[in-house]
Every structure is written in structure tokens, then in C-alpha cells.
Amino acid sequence: KGMATPGKAGVPLGIMKWLDPCQLKPDCTETERILTVLDETIAKLEITRLIPRVIGSLERFSRMLGPEITRSLVEHQKLSMEIQHLLTSPGDEESRKAVEQNLKCSMRNILRLILANPLLYHGLKYEVWVRQSAADVFIKAFMEFRDLTLERLLTSPDEEKQKVQFMKETTLQLDKNMGTISALQAELTEAIQTRDEEVNKKDKIIENLKISMENLSKECEAEIQQIMKEGEKQRKLDEEASQIRCAKLEEDVLCLRAQLKAVVLEHRASELVLRKEKCNTESEIEKWVQKYDKDMAERQATYDEIEAEYNEEKAQLALLMEKHATLIQEYDSILEERRILKERAEEAERILANRNRAAACIQAYWKGYLVRSTYKAELKKARAKARAKGRGK
């Protein structure tokens, strides 16, 4: 619908006009007159701010100003001192009004003389140093008003709608990035929760092992202590591995936040540079007409820059997808570690049960052996007695 240009494919014309100050040019005589009045007002405000400093160092600037302006400044200083004297002491109201009128006429005359010599005006701007004051704030606000007025004069209703749509799309992109950060934070929270559950589960297993080991005999005490040491060592290793994974996830989140902040700062810096370029191009309208080819080349460069930013964001998206795949692999490895730990616990329980059964069998065999040994000795004694009695007969 007429929203794209040959050099800016896919970008609305109104948005390119808003971003590219080369297109903000007065298109009618009324606009040029309004801008001329605003520029002259800004120049008068800047000169008015410099006049007190120039009067304070009149000997230094007298050669630069010339005799006529120097005399006007001396007369203006006398009128200023006179009006200050009238304001501090009660006197004739008509005399004070007359002095005020003369002071205003003197100021207009000084402004007319200085503006008639552009080189003198620019020289004073660079030679005279003035401290920051409320006048600077007012001049800056007036300059912003001038830029806003120019933008409003050169922006049609359709371009304004395109500008609003562009800002909405930018906001949606920022919201999407914030959603990605929130998802990573949720994954980090889930990983921390999983780590805590694993630690609690292992603590419970260790407590159960301690209770079971207390009931074993003293012969198994050394083996029980070894098992406790191995369990404690494994728990520490698991905790260290989990802390490393959590630190890595937190580092990824901080990196994404830093990237988002850098993108926002880059956009703000680009906006400031574009505004400065817009102000500078207003004084070089004729030059921009003669440099049409160069302007087209700069627009093509802007398009290449936007395309490069798009490719960079695309690469960042691919990086995020790769990190997501890495997290999935880590999750699978955690599940595999749980399975191995469960198998080890079952194997330990099975070995413990086999040992208990073997101990019971050994005890039963030993008791039977003692009983048989006792009965065998008594049987030998009885046979010996019986043989002795048979011989006596």
C-alpha cells in the first residue's frame, strides 16, 4: 500500500522519514517561515544569555565586537545599573517605566547588530563561556519545541499511524525478549527445586542407612563406616555438580539481561544521533539537493545496517535454541543419574540381605556343631565306662 521504498524494502515510508533526518525537509513556504522565526528566536535567546558575560569582560571582546556594538553594550550596562537602582529605591513610577522601555530598545538594538554579523554571532558562542543556568534549560526546551514543531509539520496522518505501529512492533519485540528471560528464570527455579529435592532425598537415604548400620554387629562396623564415607562423598559431588549447573544458568540469564540492556542503549544512542543529524541537515538543504546520489548510498548503508541487526537477532535466537537443547540434554543426564543411584541402592540392599542370610546360616551351623561335639564327648565317656564294667566282670 505504498509503505515501502526501493532502498528500504519492508520498512514503511513514514518510519524511514522519521528515522532518517535527510527526509525531514520543509515542503512549503509557510513551514520555512515558521522555522525561520523559531531559529531566529533561539539565536536571540542564546545572545541574550551571553550579553551579561560579554559586558563583564568588555575590554577583552571590544576588538571582536567593534565600536558600534561596544558603545551599545556600554549604554545597556548603564541602563541596567539605573533600573537596578530604581528597583531598590522607591521613586517615580513613570521614570522607571521610561528606563525599562529604553532598556528594551537597547536590547533589541544589540540583538539586531549582532545578528547582522553571523560570524560575530558564532564567534561569541565559542569564545564566551557561561555557567549552567535556568536560561540553558529554557533554550534547550525551546530547541526541542522547534524540533517537535518541524516533525509535526512534516508528518502526515498516515505517517503518524505508521510511526505508532512501528513503536507497537518494537514494544512487542521487547515483550518477547522479556518472555524469553522469564522462561529461562523459570527453568532455573525448576532446576534449583530439583536439586533441593535430590539433596533431601539423598539425606533421607543417608539417615536410613545410619539407622540400619547402628543395628548391625561390631564385626561390620568398619564396612558401615566406609559406606557412610562413600555416601557423604557422593552427596558432596552431586551438590557441587548441581551448584555448577545453577551458576551456569544464572550466568546465561545475566548475559541475556546485559544483551537486552545493550540493545536498548544502542537504540537510544541511535535515536540521539538521528535527532542531532536532523538539526544539522536543516541548515544544509541546498547541499542535500545537490548530493542526491550520496544520499541514496547512505540510505542503502542504513538498510544494510538494519539487515545486519536482523541477522544478529536471528543468530541470538539460534543461540538460545542451542542453549535450550543443552538444557534438555542435561535434564536427560540427571534422570540417568537418578536411575543409576536407584540401582545402586537396590544392589546394596540385596547384598545386605544376602549377608544377613549367610550370617544366620553360619550361626546355625556353628550351634549344631557345638551340640554335636558335646554329645559326641559324652557318648565316648559312656562307651568307655561300659567297656570298663565288662572287663571287671
Side-chain angles (χ1 to χ4, degrees):
K1 298 181 180 181
M3 294 176 62
T5 60
K8 304 287 183 179
V11 182
L13 177 60
I15 301 305
M16 291 311 305
K17 186 175 181 181
W18 175 53
L19 292 177
D20 193 351
C22 299
Q23 298 188 12
L24 291 178
K25 300 177 181 179
D27 54 358
C28 63
T29 306
E30 289 78 3
T31 303
E32 292 180 356
R33 289 175 179 175
I34 292 172
L35 292 179
T36 301
V37 172
L38 293 176
D39 291 337
E40 289 180 355
T41 304
I42 292 172
K44 290 178 180 180
L45 290 173
E46 291 179 347
I47 294 172
T48 304
R49 182 176 68 93
L50 299 177
I51 284 176
R53 180 66 177 177
V54 174
I55 292 175
S57 303
L58 195 57
E59 295 179 357
R60 174 188 172 189
F61 298 104
S62 59
R63 181 176 298 178
M64 180 189 296
L65 296 173
E68 186 178 2
I69 298 177
T70 304
R71 286 195 302 270
S72 300
L73 290 174
V74 173
E75 293 176 359
H76 184 76
Q77 184 179 14
K78 292 179 181 179
L79 291 173
S80 299
M81 295 175 62
E82 186 176 353
I83 194 65
Q84 289 178 2
H85 178 70
L86 291 174
L87 290 174
T88 54
S89 61
D92 189 3
E93 186 70 19
E94 295 181 357
S95 299
R96 185 177 63 81
K97 291 182 179 180
V99 174
E100 288 179 353
Q101 187 64 29
N102 294 332
L103 186 64
K104 293 178 182 179
C105 293
S106 175
M107 177 60 72
R108 285 196 294 268
N109 184 39
I110 293 171
L111 293 175
R112 179 181 59 80
L113 293 173
I114 294 177
L115 290 175
N117 188 354
L119 294 177
L120 176 61
Y121 164 63
H122 292 291
L124 288 175
K125 285 179 63 177
Y126 289 103
E127 289 293 334
V128 181
W129 180 81
V130 182
R131 293 183 179 179
Q132 191 75 15
S133 63
D136 296 322
V137 179
F138 178 75
I139 293 172
K140 183 178 179 181
F142 196 84
M143 288 181 178
E144 293 178 355
F145 170 73
R146 184 260 188 199
D147 296 337
L148 181 61
T149 302
L150 174 61
E151 184 178 347
R152 296 294 295 175
L153 289 173
L154 300 180
T155 303
S156 63
D158 294 335
E159 292 173 349
E160 185 68 22
K161 291 180 181 178
Q162 293 174 8
K163 176 181 174 182
V164 173
Q165 182 65 24
F166 180 77
M167 295 302 295
K168 288 182 179 179
E169 292 176 358
T170 304
T171 304
L172 290 176
Q173 183 65 28
L174 290 176
D175 294 339
K176 185 177 179 181
N177 292 337
M178 292 302 295
T180 303
I181 292 175
S182 300
L184 290 175
Q185 288 179 345
E187 291 180 3
L188 175 61
T189 304
E190 184 179 356
I192 293 174
Q193 185 177 2
T194 304
R195 190 274 313 270
D196 295 337
E197 291 178 356
E198 291 179 357
V199 172
N200 293 331
K201 184 177 179 180
K202 291 177 181 179
D203 289 339
K204 290 181 181 179
I205 293 173
I206 292 172
E207 292 296 331
N208 293 331
L209 290 174
K210 287 181 179 180
I211 295 173
S212 300
M213 287 186 290
E214 288 178 357
N215 297 327
L216 295 177
S217 62
K218 294 182 179 180
E219 295 177 356
C220 300
E221 183 176 356
E223 186 177 357
I224 291 172
Q225 291 179 355
Q226 184 66 25
I227 292 173
M228 288 178 63
K229 291 180 180 180
E230 291 178 356
E232 183 68 20
K233 183 178 180 180
Q234 185 64 34
R235 185 178 68 83
K236 290 181 179 180
L237 292 175
D238 293 338
E239 286 183 354
E240 291 177 356
S242 179
Q243 290 176 358
I244 293 172
R245 289 195 296 270
C246 292
K248 185 177 180 182
L249 291 174
E250 291 177 354
E251 184 179 0
D252 292 340
V253 172
L254 293 175
C255 182
L256 288 174
R257 287 180 177 174
Q259 291 177 359
L260 177 61
K261 185 176 180 182
V263 170
V264 172
L265 291 176
E266 182 181 358
H267 289 173
R268 289 179 180 174
S270 300
E271 181 182 359
L272 180 60
V273 171
L274 291 173
R275 287 182 178 274
K276 290 181 178 179
E277 289 179 357
K278 179 179 67 176
C279 294
N280 293 330
T281 51
E282 292 304 328
S283 61
E284 300 177 358
I285 295 174
E286 295 299 331
K287 293 182 181 180
W288 288 114
V289 174
Q290 297 174 1
K291 296 179 180 180
Y292 173 78
D293 295 334
K294 184 177 178 180
D295 181 50
M296 294 301 294
E298 290 179 355
R299 292 183 182 181
Q300 182 63 35
T302 304
Y303 168 75
D304 294 338
E305 183 180 354
I306 293 174
E307 185 178 8
E309 291 179 357
Y310 169 76
N311 293 332
E312 183 179 356
E313 291 181 357
K314 188 175 180 181
Q316 291 178 0
L317 177 61
L319 181 60
L320 291 175
M321 294 298 294
E322 183 179 354
K323 290 182 179 180
H324 178 69
T326 305
L327 291 175
I328 292 176
Q329 292 178 359
E330 291 182 357
Y331 176 74
D332 294 338
S333 63
I334 291 173
L335 291 179
E336 182 66 18
E337 290 178 0
R338 290 182 180 177
R339 185 184 65 77
I340 293 172
L341 291 175
K342 184 177 180 181
E343 291 179 357
R344 289 179 180 177
E346 292 176 355
E347 182 68 20
E349 291 179 357
R350 186 167 60 255
I351 292 172
L352 182 62
N354 291 334
R355 289 178 179 177
N356 289 335
R357 287 195 299 270
C361 291
I362 292 171
Q363 290 177 358
Y365 179 78
W366 178 252
K367 289 180 180 179
Y369 174 76
L370 292 177
V371 171
R372 286 193 298 272
S373 298
T374 302
Y375 283 129
K376 188 175 181 180
E378 291 179 356
L379 184 60
K380 286 181 178 181
K381 291 180 180 180
R383 288 179 180 178
K385 290 180 179 180
R387 290 175 182 176
K389 288 180 180 182
R391 292 176 181 177
K393 292 178 179 182

